[in-house]
Amino acid sequence: GAGVSQSPRYKVAKRGQDVALRCDPISGHVSLFWYQQALGQGPEFLTYFQNEAQLDKSGLPSDRFFAERPEGSVSTLKIQRTQQEDSAVYLCASSLGTVGTNYGYTFGSGTRLTVV
Amino acid sequence: AQSVTQLDSQVPVFEEAPVELRCNYSSSVSVYLFWYVQYPNQGLQLLLKYLSGSTLVESINGFEAEFNKSQTSFHLRKPSVHISDTAEYFCAVSDLGTSGTYKYIFGTGTRLKVLA
């Protein structure tokens, strides 16, 4: 597609519920990133995929967070047993190259997760 | 690890006045620096970037930023702002992650509010 698409746009989950957030990157983009943006904060890195390989998951805050990109295109970020502190906007970004910097990232509009 | 400081959380300015949004980063080693803009309910959009070469970089909509290695700064400026420039601005520095891929470290953002 023309841009990075994320769904759902908004998600309200009851505490303890599992959620799945979807990211459709730009077609052909090798690199895919997930970021978490808490209210009033800048985005924080969660994880990185190069094609289907998850090369960096150092930013995932706990083992309740899991991400996959099985065919090297669409990615899903799953959060198990959601907690209130998981409330944030989850941003997905993709990049054409494997060293993303020189190509730049294209961000999606994000999924706003509210845990009640 | 790199860090980014945006000292001003909010900057109100009158239309057609100049503005400077401040950004300092933590390291003096070679870095890539970026400014992103986020309009309400939208994703991050790349405004401009410094990779190498000229220390003054410009965007297509009149913003400019100057890389100052000695002061570890990358302040964003515009000589005359418009109402449409009202948005949140994020400074980011690249950081070489464990995967060998550059990921962004973002500042906490500066909310620019242009007043009529």
Side-chain angles (χ1 to χ4, degrees):
Chain A
V4 178
S5 178
Q6 291 188 247
S7 61
R9 190 74 178 86
Y10 302 93
K11 176 69 177 178
V12 178
K14 291 184 178 179
R15 192 172 62 176
Q17 185 179 354
D18 297 349
V19 298
L21 312 179
R22 178 187 170 103
C23 172
D24 278 273
I26 292 174
S27 179
H29 275 199
V30 171
S31 296
L32 186 145
F33 302 80
W34 283 98
Y35 283 81
Q36 180 191 58
Q37 186 177 15
L39 188 64
Q41 301 295 315
E44 294 192 1
F45 172 81
L46 293 177
T47 188
Y48 163 68
F49 289 87
Q50 180 178 313
N51 295 310
E52 70 279 4
Q54 189 176 21
L55 299 186
D56 189 341
K57 54 182 180 180
S58 61
L60 295 176
S62 77
D63 58 7
R64 296 186 295 105
F65 286 71
F66 172 76
E68 60 183 6
R69 194 186 185 198
E71 297 178 357
S73 54
V74 171
S75 178
T76 304
L77 176 66
K78 298 179 180 178
I79 309 173
Q80 297 176 325
R81 305 181 303 281
T82 52
Q83 303 294 317
Q84 284 192 320
E85 61 263 29
D86 300 335
S87 296
V89 175
Y90 290 85
L91 296 168
C92 177
S94 70
S95 176
L96 183 61
T98 56
V99 179
T101 301
N102 287 346
Y103 293 95
Y105 297 1
T106 301
F107 281 85
S109 299
T111 293
R112 183 178 296 276
L113 173 65
T114 303
V115 181
V116 298
Chain B
Q2 301 271 11
S3 66
V4 176
T5 302
Q6 291 182 252
L7 291 173
D8 306 306
S9 60
Q10 293 189 68
V11 174
V13 62
F14 285 103
E15 193 173 19
E16 297 183 5
V19 70
E20 178 179 82
L21 306 183
R22 295 180 293 169
C23 172
N24 289 86
Y25 61 96
S26 64
S27 174
S28 61
V29 299
S30 296
V31 293
Y32 300 143
L33 294 158
F34 307 83
W35 276 98
Y36 276 80
V37 58
Q38 187 174 36
Y39 298 101
N41 298 315
Q42 294 188 28
L44 295 160
Q45 300 175 30
L46 179 65
L47 193 59
L48 46 76
K49 60 184 177 182
Y50 170 77
L51 304 180
S52 64
S54 172
T55 58
L56 184 66
V57 290
E58 299 176 352
S59 72
I60 58 173
N61 57 355
F63 282 94
E64 64 179 30
E66 185 162 18
F67 169 59
N68 188 317
K69 187 174 182 179
S70 63
Q71 297 186 6
T72 60
S73 69
F74 191 56
H75 301 330
L76 182 70
R77 297 188 293 261
K78 188 171 186 179
S80 176
V81 295
H82 302 288
I83 295 288
S84 59
D85 293 325
T86 294
E88 186 114 24
Y89 292 80
F90 291 94
C91 182
V93 64
S94 63
D95 188 57
L96 192 59
T98 56
S99 61
T101 293
Y102 288 94
K103 63 191 182 196
Y104 289 161
I105 305 299
F106 285 91
T108 52
T110 297
R111 186 174 300 277
L112 174 63
K113 185 169 177 61
V114 180
L115 309 170

